[in-house]
Structures are given as structure tokens and as C-alpha cells.
Amino acid sequence: SSGSGEETDGPNLEFTTGVSDAWFENVLFIGDSRYVGLKSYARSGSADYFCDVGMTVFNYSSKTLSDKNFSNMTLQQLLASRTYDKIFFNFGLNEAGYSASYFISKYQALVDFVKAAQPDAILILNGIMSVTPSKASQASYFTPAYLASLSANWANLYSSAISTLKVSSKSTAAGGRNSKAPIPLLPI
């Protein structure tokens, strides 16, 4: 089957455009409002979603959330209660106004925390999705070039246990998106 994205710096994963709901057993999505939308409008299989509007790499540890398979848990409690095969992360847009080094250090701490709690899981970091041209014009930290540079600076987060996904340049939408900017790609 033809992959729907490009994989870099990680285990050999193949994502196709059509997977069964069983693929999402033991999958966790951790992130901000982009994952809230996925959870609400494109839920797949029995995946768990630890996500919230406005959630960041700075405040995830103070969140107590619920989903179909768990109730009122912190991320630490959730990771201690279940074993995941694949864990997806979506952060960056809410953090874009902070210094890149501060953001990256906090993201690294989150990745290290999750990897310690789930050492056998494959961790997958989604690139930062660009915003509309009107939103990008409101602040320099929302421009496609800056968001792409943040994603590119994630190199320190990558190891043999972490994969990153990005959409190929031919797949990016017009609408003001920089064709070289990594944007989220989910295997659905």
C-alpha cells in the first residue's frame, strides 16, 4: 500500500489511508484543540484522547480529563493505568509565542515523562499545523515560516523510539500554508 506521509527519524512505520478500527486499540492521543476536534468529529476505534482546548506542554500535568475509557485522570494516572502501543502528540500552536528554547525544553520534558511511563510505546510527534493567512498576519509567531522552524527545531526530541510525521509538499493545501512546513498527518 502507498503511505500517506513521510516518516523520518524513527522506527519503520507504514501508515496507509485505510486502517481498521483495530489499529487504534492501545493508541493514545495527547494534545490541544486539534485533537479535541479529532476526538469529537473523527474518532477512530477505541483510542484514548487526553486532550483539551488550550492544553500546552506547560500545563498538561495539571489537567484532569475524561474520555470514553477513563474518567477524571491526570496524564500520569492514565499512563500508569494502561499500556499503549502508539502515542501521538500534537502541541506547538498554543506555545508559538514563547521562546523556541523554552518550548522545546518543556516538550522534551513531556516526551521524556511519557517515554519513561510507556517505554515500549512508539511516540509520534505531529508537526505544527499552519493557521489561516488572516491569523498568520496577526503575529510573527503564527507565520508558516516560523511554525515550520519550530517543528524543525524538534530534532532534539527525536530518537530511535520517536517518529515524526509530515505531509509531503505535494499534499499541502494552498490557503496560505507553506508547502515545506510540516503539518499533522494522522493514519486515518
Side-chain angles (χ1 to χ4, degrees):
S1 63
S2 64
S4 58
E6 300 172 9
E7 179 200 341
T8 60
D9 296 32
N12 186 15
L13 301 175
E14 181 177 335
F15 294 104
T16 62
T17 55
V19 296
S20 72
D21 282 349
W23 192 93
F24 292 94
E25 291 177 18
N26 303 317
V27 170
L28 174 62
F29 293 93
I30 304 170
D32 58 20
S33 61
R34 307 286 173 125
Y35 276 177
V36 172
L38 182 66
K39 171 180 145 176
S40 299
Y41 302 108
R43 182 178 278 276
S44 298
S46 61
D48 287 338
Y49 293 81
F50 191 87
C51 54
D52 197 20
V53 173
M55 192 158 95
T56 68
V57 297
F58 313 127
N59 69 12
Y60 73 90
S61 63
S62 65
K63 300 283 185 177
T64 300
L65 302 173
S66 298
D67 192 34
K68 287 185 177 184
N69 300 318
F70 64 92
S71 295
N72 300 317
M73 288 188 164
T74 63
L75 183 58
Q76 182 176 8
Q77 292 168 328
L78 179 60
L79 294 173
S81 71
R82 304 233 11 219
T83 300
Y84 293 102
D85 297 326
K86 296 173 278 289
I87 301 175
F88 289 81
F89 296 81
N90 191 63
F91 290 100
L93 198 56
N94 295 329
E95 296 88 344
Y98 292 86
S99 77
S101 61
Y102 182 62
F103 165 51
I104 298 300
S105 71
K106 292 298 186 178
Y107 208 163
Q108 182 70 59
L110 169 59
V111 168
D112 291 347
F113 166 73
V114 172
K115 190 62 184 166
Q118 297 281 321
D120 296 325
I122 296 170
L123 307 183
I124 303 162
L125 310 177
N126 292 316
I128 303 171
M129 185 180 293
S130 294
V131 296
T132 63
S134 63
K135 184 70 171 178
S137 69
Q138 294 176 11
S140 62
Y141 52 81
F142 284 142
T143 64
Y146 182 73
L147 295 177
S149 74
L150 277 181
S151 291
N153 283 326
W154 292 357
N156 293 337
L157 300 173
Y158 310 152
S159 73
S160 61
I162 300 173
S163 295
T164 59
L165 299 177
K166 64 181 179 181
V167 173
S168 66
S169 60
K170 66 182 179 183
S171 302
T172 54
R177 289 204 174 124
N178 179 337
S179 65
K180 294 182 177 149
I183 61 173
L185 173 66
L186 300 177
I188 54 176

